[in-house]
Structures are given as structure tokens and as C-alpha cells.
Amino acid sequence: ADGGKLLVVPMAGSHWLSMQQVVEKLSERGHEVVVVAPEEGWHLQTTQAYTVKTYPVSQTPEELESAF
């Protein structure tokens, strides 16, 4: 199968830890992966397996956590 393009939007840090392995395997199989995360509270870095794009948020990580 040909690799496709995937957009990943993780919702919480612990969720990302398990998703990261899946994303890396998909990349190994030829998929182009972009991970989207808020600027605040996430410390994801672009790797060979995926690209990270951040977006600005007006809330602090604590405000976001209490909203969830």
C-alpha cells in the first residue's frame, strides 16, 4: 500500500505516549505524519518520524486542564 498523509491531534500527554509508537510505525510504513499541539504545556519536538506544528492558545495549561 502507498503511504498517505496523516494529521494527529493528541488530547493529553499520557495519551500521546501510547500514540507516539503508533505514529512512528506509520511513518516507517511510508506515511507522512504531522502532529498538531498547543504551544503551551506540550514539549513535542519534530523527529524524522513526524513533524510537529504548534498553535497559540489564550488559556494556560491549568485552565485547559480544568476545562476538560
Side-chain angles (χ1 to χ4, degrees), residues 8 10 12-21 23 35 42 44 50:
V8 178
S14 61
H15 173 73
W16 170 246
L17 294 177
S18 57
M19 276 297 293
Q20 185 176 15
Q21 293 177 351
V23 167
V35 179
W42 286 77
L44 302 177
Y50 53 85

Side-chain angles (χ1 to χ4, degrees), residues 6-57:
L6 299 170
L7 180 64
V8 178
V9 186
M11 295 303 294
S14 61
H15 173 73
W16 170 246
L17 294 177
S18 57
M19 276 297 293
Q20 185 176 15
Q21 293 177 351
V22 173
V23 167
E24 288 172 354
K25 286 291 183 189
L26 289 167
S27 176
E28 288 174 12
R29 295 182 180 184
H31 296 281
E32 181 183 337
V33 183
V34 176
V35 179
V36 179
E39 286 177 338
E40 293 294 323
W42 286 77
H43 302 289
L44 302 177
Q45 295 182 351
T46 296
T47 69
Q48 290 180 338
Y50 53 85
T51 301
V52 175
K53 299 288 184 179
T54 60
Y55 58 90
V57 292

